[in-house]
Amino acid sequence: MAPADATRGTAPGHDPDAVSGPPAQVAVLLPLPLSDPYDYRLPADLAAPPGAFVTVPLGGRELTGVVWGGAQGGVEPARLKDVVAVRDTPLMPAAVRRFIEWLADYTLAPRGAVLRMAMSVPAALDPPAGRTAYRLGAKAPTRLTKARARVLALLADGLPRPAVDIAREAVVSSAVVRTLAEAGALQILTLPGERAFQAPDAALAGPTLMPAQSAAATALRAAVAADAFAVTLLDGVTGAGKTEVYFEAVAAALAAGRQVLVLLPEIALGAQWLGRFRARFGVDPAEWHSDLGQRARRETWRGVATGKARVVVGARSALFLPFAELGLIVVDEEHEPAYKQEEGVIYQARDMAVVRGRIEACPVVLASATPSLETVVNAKTGRYRTLRLPTRHGGAQLPAIEAVDMRETPPPRGGWLSPPLRHALGETLADGAQSVLFLNRRGYAPLTLCQACGHRLQCPNCTAWLVEHRFAGRLACHHCGYDQLLPEQCPACQVPGKLTACGPGVERLAEEVQTLFPEARYAILTSDTIAGPRDAAALIAQVAAHQVDLLIGTQIIAKGHHFPMLTLVGVVDADLGLAGGDLRAAERTYQLLHQVAGRAGREKRPGRVLLQTYAPEDAVMQALVSGDREAFLEREASARKAHGQPPFGRLAAFILSGRDEAAVARAARALARVALAGAGRDSGIAVYGPAPAPLALLRGRYRYRLLIKAPRAVRLQPWLRHWRDQLRLPGGVRLQTDVDPYRFL
Ligand code: ADP
Ligand code: ZN
């Protein structure tokens, strides 16, 4: 249990030493973009050890921070302000404070900004208000109706219950409860208001594991029992049953009295995952993600702090929850780019999960069918251990993957589906099975062009084309959310009726499918066609129940879903992710297409995957078709090694932005000069840029980038910090630092 007594000794006069020595002083870190804690005086009647949540005055208001240690000095004692109150919340565990320090140091973020992520629900610091409950009273009711008798029978076990629970369980109205209480037949009392988290039952039997699963589960249980930091890569093909395997590790950690954190990339779509957790452990886990309401977040944060919540499944921000007894961290789909947080404090949650595991001295499991090159290299060098699940559960075959050469079998004019894919779709429909069409493009068309003057409709705030959303009748920018009606005439040459949609989006594919197969029941699944997690779950359930023949979607259909009747996956534009010079373009395209392909043929019926490509000879297409992942990874690794790219070298980026382009450019040049002079010749550090970012204008701000590259042995952070500190940023220009960048836009 967490050290719950932050407030012990808060009553005046309890601490005999408090009156004798000099007044105590503490350093308090505040959840603001500040790097250092501030000193405060601690009145003699308050006790606040490191980790205590305290309320302090700052610039005319009061806010809550965390005692970070003893005072740093430097401020005249007479000028120090007093700590106002110590909050009634368990101490922030030392491991969490160390994690905040570590992450701030690595990412160059102010410590206070990282603390803010760990205190994202201020209301959780208030002990919840009590709830009114009832138990049997001393008097018998004067008149015993059937309803009243049911209430008395229910409460005969002596357990106090809130009125709503009594009403539900005894099938009476709450008025019956009130009347009984007024008559003295029930006694009113106040229960502590914390949500009662149901304990997952680690003793429930899981499914019978296949031999490979069973061996992997044994190894993971041993890692949990060892109670030490160790990273294991659970490397299993899609449909191998990785979830069931790491559930065994979860069960072992629970049985050992420890808390568990499971990170998922797209929690909003985790309905199938939650169902499986419920089947294995009998209850729901605590959830943590941005779609939750304030109340649920408050309850989960507090439940984690008090140790009442035993398993949390969450998005990357769950890493900052105040676990006091963490015994296992699982990162599912560890290769997912969604683990990179790109706003505010920029960090890679998979890497930081490993850091948290090291600080907590607990095992970390990374699961994937397509592990990232970073993880693969760590496994090769022996830093991580690898457990393999080479076959699908239940003997299902991996799908056969074929490339469709679009140069040889192009789609008919105005269409996007090639004859081989059309044929396969028709066959699958006739078979009564399901198909997926994958295209990573929302809306109807990615570009609208005037055929009279060649003008392209562009976002006024961003370097981006406006995307047509035909169902909504609008043009939208996917970067800033700008949107407008589709105009009648070209805004440049005023000629009417000449604006034409160029290229396909999922809506346009739906149109083609409708014309080709009018009888097929189709659905579109993208982040903007569904209103939220509930909607998504409903659609997923419909597909699973085979109320949909053809699912058309973007990358959100790639993740984790298990549809028994799905046998055909058509990738409409397999080359899409390869454009642009991103160093991970090939790796990411491979991972994404492999995951999408992995949706096909997960049960008895074999799966088939068609990749429409103009470059079937490309290494990514070859690797997908041949299934030779190892050869592909080795090629990738040696190419990256040759160029000193991650994970064999280090990268960091500075991004400067502002509304005044000249000021941004000047600041970027100044920073480049400082960096070039500072790095010198012998450091091995190279500075590239500044250059206007590919996304040169974003939300009305001009952007310039610098890229810093260094050999792996060089610790970049001290250099970056030193350069940054020498720069005097003009007002209105913002500088972001991205250590280990994943996006180069
Ligand atoms: P992965 O995450 O490796 O792609 P899943 O964990 O989703 O694979 O498993 C694929 C399917 O097989 C799921 O429906 C899962 O419930 C089922 N499954 C996996 N292992 C077993 C088992 N040992 N017994 C019964 N069903 C299993
Ligand atoms: Zn825009």
Side-chain angles (χ1 to χ4, degrees):
M1 184 59 60
D5 271 342
T7 51
R8 181 177 293 156
T10 47
H14 273 201
D15 182 357
D17 294 332
V19 278
S20 49
Q25 295 173 7
V26 288
V28 176
L29 186 63
L30 295 166
L32 300 172
L34 300 166
S35 282
D36 292 312
Y38 289 156
D39 287 352
Y40 286 90
R41 217 165 57 91
L42 189 64
D45 59 345
L46 295 183
F53 289 89
V54 293
T55 302
V56 296
L58 183 82
R61 58 184 176 142
E62 288 186 353
L63 80 182
T64 294
V66 174
V67 174
W68 219 246
Q72 314 163 99
V75 182
E76 250 179 82
R79 297 186 48 202
L80 284 182
K81 299 229 167 73
D82 277 6
V83 169
V84 179
V86 180
R87 308 294 295 266
D88 182 8
T89 298
L91 299 180
M92 174 176 274
V96 178
R97 283 178 278 135
R98 278 218 300 285
F99 179 59
I100 291 171
E101 290 273 342
W102 201 99
L103 195 135
D105 185 57
Y106 190 84
T107 60
L108 270 74
R111 280 185 285 181
V114 183
L115 174 66
R116 189 164 53 192
M117 299 195 291
M119 295 180 59
S120 57
V121 231
L125 300 172
D126 296 320
R131 292 173 306 159
T132 304
Y134 300 85
R135 68 175 167 219
L136 284 189
K139 295 187 195 156
T142 40
R143 201 167 57 85
L144 196 63
T145 62
K146 277 198 179 130
R148 290 178 181 186
R150 283 202 299 276
V151 172
L152 299 183
L154 173 73
L155 292 176
D157 61 7
L159 230 56
R161 292 173 176 83
V164 279
D165 291 1
I166 298 174
R168 195 187 60 239
E169 289 181 54
V171 204
V172 299
S173 73
S174 15
V176 176
V177 179
R178 271 201 309 276
T179 324
L180 282 170
E182 278 158 19
L186 296 184
Q187 188 194 347
I188 303 177
L189 68 166
T190 305
L191 292 180
E194 311 260 350
R195 172 177 153 198
F197 286 91
Q198 294 168 292
D201 187 352
L204 283 181
T208 311
L209 298 181
M210 319 260 288
Q213 283 181 312
S214 186
T218 304
L220 289 185
R221 271 195 300 265
V224 170
D227 195 17
F229 172 63
V231 185
T232 308
L233 166 62
L234 183 57
D235 178 356
V237 298
T238 52
K242 296 183 284 294
T243 317
E244 305 298 340
V245 170
Y246 71 65
F247 276 173
E248 293 305 303
V250 173
L254 288 173
R258 307 296 289 273
Q259 290 170 295
V260 176
L261 169 62
V262 180
L263 292 182
L264 293 182
E266 208 101 347
I267 184 71
L269 293 166
Q272 284 193 330
W273 192 95
L274 289 174
R276 285 165 67 179
F277 187 90
R278 221 174 292 126
R280 179 65 180 80
F281 295 104
V283 302
D284 286 318
E287 287 178 60
W288 184 265
H289 48 84
S290 53
D291 286 318
L292 290 180
Q294 268 301 305
R295 184 199 172 94
R297 288 166 77 79
R298 190 182 70 215
E299 288 171 346
T300 297
W301 195 96
R302 210 173 163 85
V304 171
T306 56
K308 292 199 171 79
R310 305 309 295 172
V311 177
V312 176
V313 56
R316 56 187 180 226
S317 56
L319 265 181
F320 298 93
L321 287 172
F323 293 96
E325 304 171 302
L326 195 55
L328 173 69
I329 304 175
V330 177
V331 184
D332 203 349
E333 311 285 9
E334 69 87 32
H335 61 278
E336 264 298 320
Y339 281 124
K340 184 77 194 296
Q341 157 104 13
E342 300 280 4
E343 303 275 320
V345 177
I346 300 178
Y347 65 93
Q348 170 35 288
R350 177 238 304 144
D351 296 348
M352 294 307 125
V354 171
V355 169
R356 178 125 196 217
R358 197 173 64 217
I359 291 172
E360 302 275 355
C362 79
V364 178
V365 177
L366 308 178
S368 177
T370 52
S372 62
L373 196 62
E374 277 78 4
T375 296
V376 167
V377 169
N378 279 325
K380 279 245 161 65
T381 56
R383 291 169 52 158
Y384 297 174
R385 192 184 24 174
T386 308
L387 299 172
R388 281 183 217 283
L389 300 176
T391 55
R392 282 190 156 178
H393 170 73
Q397 292 298 304
L398 281 169
I401 304 183
E402 304 151 50
V404 174
D405 189 335
M406 296 290 271
R407 296 165 305 191
E408 281 175 11
T409 51
R413 254 186 90 81
W416 312 98
L417 304 175
S418 63
L421 184 50
R422 291 176 171 208
H423 183 73
L425 284 168
E427 271 183 356
T428 309
L429 274 171
D431 270 4
Q434 289 170 301
S435 310
V436 153
L437 281 178
F438 171 74
L439 177 64
N440 217 359
R441 268 192 175 142
R442 292 185 276 139
Y444 184 82
L447 171 66
T448 304
L449 180 102
C450 172
Q451 281 185 321
C453 74
H455 179 71
R456 298 160 175 220
L457 297 186
Q458 190 170 354
C459 174
N461 314 314
C462 306
T463 316
W465 309 129
L466 289 172
V467 178
E468 182 185 349
H469 288 253
R470 189 160 288 188
F471 296 165
R474 305 192 74 85
L475 291 167
C477 171
H478 287 177
H479 292 285
C480 71
Y482 169 88
D483 96 333
Q484 64 171 66
L485 286 171
L486 187 61
E488 274 297 308
Q489 55 184 49
C490 172
C493 70
Q494 322 300 334
V495 174
K498 286 290 181 184
L499 290 174
T500 330
C502 296
V506 286
E507 290 180 2
R508 201 167 195 178
L509 283 184
E511 206 176 72
E512 188 170 347
V513 161
Q514 242 176 338
T515 330
L516 288 173
F517 310 106
E519 74 289 3
R521 299 164 299 174
Y522 75 89
I524 297 182
L525 180 56
T526 69
S527 55
D528 57 0
T529 57
I530 47 170
R534 231 172 260 251
D535 234 28
L539 180 53
I540 301 287
Q542 266 181 36
V543 179
H546 204 161
Q547 288 157 9
V548 168
D549 301 308
L550 215 161
L551 185 62
I552 304 166
T554 56
Q555 60 190 0
I556 63 174
I557 61 174
K559 279 168 209 126
H561 308 301
H562 186 83
F563 302 126
M565 290 300 284
L566 175 64
T567 60
L568 175 68
V569 169
V571 175
V572 176
D573 185 353
D575 311 325
L576 187 58
L578 292 171
D582 187 329
L583 76 102
R584 292 184 182 84
E587 180 190 351
R588 277 218 287 259
T589 301
Y590 177 83
Q591 287 163 342
L592 181 58
L593 297 187
H594 186 94
Q595 293 285 340
V596 178
R599 299 311 107 207
R602 289 168 72 93
E603 290 199 355
K604 294 200 182 60
R605 293 168 176 240
R608 187 176 173 205
V609 180
L610 297 183
L611 307 173
Q612 294 196 146
T613 172
Y614 286 92
E617 67 287 344
D618 183 276
V620 173
M621 303 310 144
Q622 295 283 325
L624 287 164
V625 169
S626 69
D628 194 348
R629 187 186 86 184
E630 298 314 310
F632 171 71
L633 286 173
E634 240 146 66
R635 248 184 72 119
E636 268 299 294
S638 55
R640 297 239 199 122
K641 204 173 203 164
H643 295 100
Q645 300 280 28
F648 305 99
R650 295 187 186 279
L651 289 181
F654 286 125
I655 302 116
L656 295 105
S657 64
R659 295 192 183 274
D660 175 355
E661 183 174 13
V664 176
R666 257 196 319 274
R669 282 195 300 271
L671 183 56
R673 269 197 305 277
V674 169
L676 278 170
R681 283 185 200 290
D682 306 328
S683 62
I685 301 175
V687 179
Y688 301 101
L695 246 171
L697 182 66
L698 178 64
R699 296 184 200 103
R701 298 173 70 90
Y702 293 91
R703 303 168 76 245
Y704 277 72
R705 299 183 62 106
L706 268 93
L707 188 67
I708 320 293
K709 192 167 146 193
R712 212 184 140 78
V714 174
R715 230 179 80 76
L716 266 180
Q717 281 83 355
W719 296 92
L720 302 175
R721 195 169 280 123
H722 183 60
W723 302 337
R724 210 179 59 172
D725 290 350
Q726 290 175 53
L727 186 71
R728 279 188 55 93
L729 268 188
V733 176
R734 203 171 72 162
L735 172 62
Q736 283 178 295
T737 309
D738 185 356
V739 176
D740 304 333
Y742 276 64
R743 276 207 228 154
F744 300 85
L745 289 178

